[in-house]
Amino acid sequence: MKRVIYIIGLALFCLYGSFAQEYATFQITGTHQGSGSFINAALSDFSWAVSGTLNGEVQILDNEVFDDGNAFENIFGQADNAQNLRIQVAMNGAGTNGQPLTSSATLTLFFDQVAPPDAWGFCVVDIDVENCLFSATDENDNQVPPEVIDGWLMELFDADLNEDGINIPKWDATHAALLGSDTPEDYIVYNNLVIGGMPSSEAPAAGFMPDIPLKSLTITFENLQDIYNTSYHFYIASLETTSVSEFLLNYPEVYPVPASDNICISLKQTPIPDLVVDIMNASGNVLIHKKPADCNGVVNLNISALPAGVYFCRIYNPSLSYVKKIIKP
């Protein structure tokens, strides 16, 4: 929930940027497995596989619509007609309220090349009484700690606000887990969850944007119902329509993070005409605005006058737009 406030300003501001987004397309190539692809995007193609106590086949749908105004849509584009994976998990059968859950499914994406940081995002929709646990491996095949995944969370939102009110999932940062919007308050910690048999809501959702290179991403989806089959929808999108190699070669580096007094922006490609650098607060207000005339590949900004908090550094010109989160302790 901590990201809901400050991401709103960023999302609204990005509407004026020059992002060229690309949602993935999916193809089923075997039982509960397949591949995904992008067209010249800053995210490599991938293969995927699903296993567990599934109810029927994995489906590919393209008739979902996000509610207007959420951060994932504003940054990655409207999901109208964009493909998503629908994964349905069988009910817990003879399980009863208060018993450990027994039904789950695991979706894993394996990227053909290392997925670059700050270049893509994923979204899960329809997490009502279920639970999603996120894990990943980095470019060195190490497990990504939950506290790092916690930093990827952009926003918790209702993807279907106009239907039945507000349904927003809960987030357990300690375990990097989404908990259903209907999950009782005394079940707000991931490892306390048991079969609940609670009523189902419509479209609680969450959007994420990884900020480190990844080789794989895994979602473990668990059914907390004892009388219903449950499902979720998975989207993946690239921020820029450019090749992976071009993105890795040219995207700016912003450091240090966190930063107390100064930040340095290292540009991989120079010169960049009409370059602008803005520091924005949580509301999207520009606090520092700079047009470096001749930066020789490096831009330095003094942020010592800013109070402690979360900010965003936006580097852009008519053909480039890049955003990086900044933390000032």
Side-chain angles (χ1 to χ4, degrees):
M1 291 300 292
K2 60 187 177 183
R3 287 164 182 78
V4 174
I5 298 174
Y6 70 69
I7 198 66
I8 294 174
L10 172 64
L12 294 175
F13 192 88
C14 285
L15 286 172
Y16 301 99
S18 56
F19 293 126
Q21 301 88 350
E22 176 76 25
Y23 277 82
T25 57
F26 296 92
Q27 181 179 3
I28 295 177
T29 57
T31 303
H32 307 317
Q33 60 186 342
S35 61
S37 61
F38 292 86
I39 301 174
N40 196 37
L43 182 58
S44 63
D45 296 343
F46 55 89
S47 58
W48 55 267
V50 183
S51 62
T53 53
L54 302 175
N55 180 57
E57 295 299 317
V58 176
Q59 294 176 293
I60 298 175
L61 302 180
D62 60 2
N63 58 353
E64 300 282 319
V65 178
F66 289 164
D67 178 73
D68 291 341
N70 68 76
F72 194 85
E73 174 196 344
N74 288 338
I75 292 178
F76 293 101
Q78 176 53 261
D80 286 4
N81 301 316
Q83 288 190 347
N84 64 84
L85 286 181
R86 180 178 185 264
I87 299 169
Q88 187 172 60
V89 178
M91 68 184 74
N92 279 285
T96 57
N97 192 352
Q99 297 300 310
L101 49 86
T102 58
S103 186
S104 66
T106 299
L107 165 68
T108 302
L109 275 68
F110 306 94
F111 296 104
D112 294 351
Q113 302 179 54
V114 172
D118 301 308
W120 62 286
F122 62 93
C123 182
V124 292
V125 179
D126 198 17
I127 309 300
D128 38 53
V129 299
E130 299 85 41
N131 172 71
C132 276
L133 181 68
F134 299 95
S135 59
T137 57
D138 64 18
E139 59 184 334
N140 299 313
D141 294 314
N142 296 317
Q143 284 291 316
V144 179
E147 58 267 25
V148 174
I149 298 176
D150 175 52
W152 303 349
L153 178 63
M154 296 165 54
E155 183 185 18
L156 305 174
F157 65 98
D158 187 337
D160 196 15
L161 269 177
N162 295 325
E163 293 296 324
D164 62 343
I166 300 176
N167 298 297
I168 298 177
K170 303 176 178 69
W171 175 248
D172 178 0
T174 302
H175 299 88
L178 276 178
L179 314 179
S181 61
D182 290 338
T183 304
E185 291 301 322
D186 57 347
Y187 285 177
I188 61 174
V189 178
Y190 164 73
N191 56 4
N192 285 346
L193 292 173
V194 295
I195 297 171
M198 289 74 69
S200 177
S201 53
E202 285 298 324
F208 300 83
M209 188 172 180
D211 58 3
I212 63 171
L214 295 183
K215 281 190 176 180
S216 70
L217 171 70
T218 298
I219 299 176
T220 301
F221 178 80
E222 299 174 322
N223 186 358
L224 303 183
Q225 291 280 15
D226 54 354
I227 55 175
Y228 297 113
N229 300 322
T230 60
S231 65
Y232 73 102
H233 303 261
F234 174 80
Y235 296 85
I236 181 170
S238 177
L239 188 62
E240 299 282 353
T241 50
T242 182
S243 68
V244 177
S245 58
E246 182 181 353
F247 185 90
L248 290 173
L249 180 65
N250 295 324
Y251 81 93
E253 290 186 67
V254 181
Y255 58 92
V257 178
S260 297
D261 298 315
N262 296 281
I263 63 170
C264 180
I265 302 165
S266 176
L267 305 171
K268 301 290 186 68
Q269 182 183 17
T270 56
I272 299 179
D274 303 318
L275 184 68
V276 179
V277 179
D278 290 337
I279 302 297
M280 304 175 294
N281 65 8
S283 300
N285 299 317
V286 177
L287 307 178
I288 299 175
H289 179 77
K290 187 172 183 177
K291 295 182 178 180
D294 184 11
C295 59
N296 294 319
V298 177
V299 178
N300 292 291
L301 291 178
N302 188 324
I303 62 170
S304 59
L306 300 178
V310 176
Y311 301 92
F312 297 92
C313 176
R314 185 168 185 252
I315 306 143
Y316 63 100
N317 72 357
S319 61
L320 164 74
S321 190
Y322 175 81
V323 178
K324 180 71 175 180
K325 183 172 68 176
I326 298 171
I327 300 172
K328 184 174 180 184

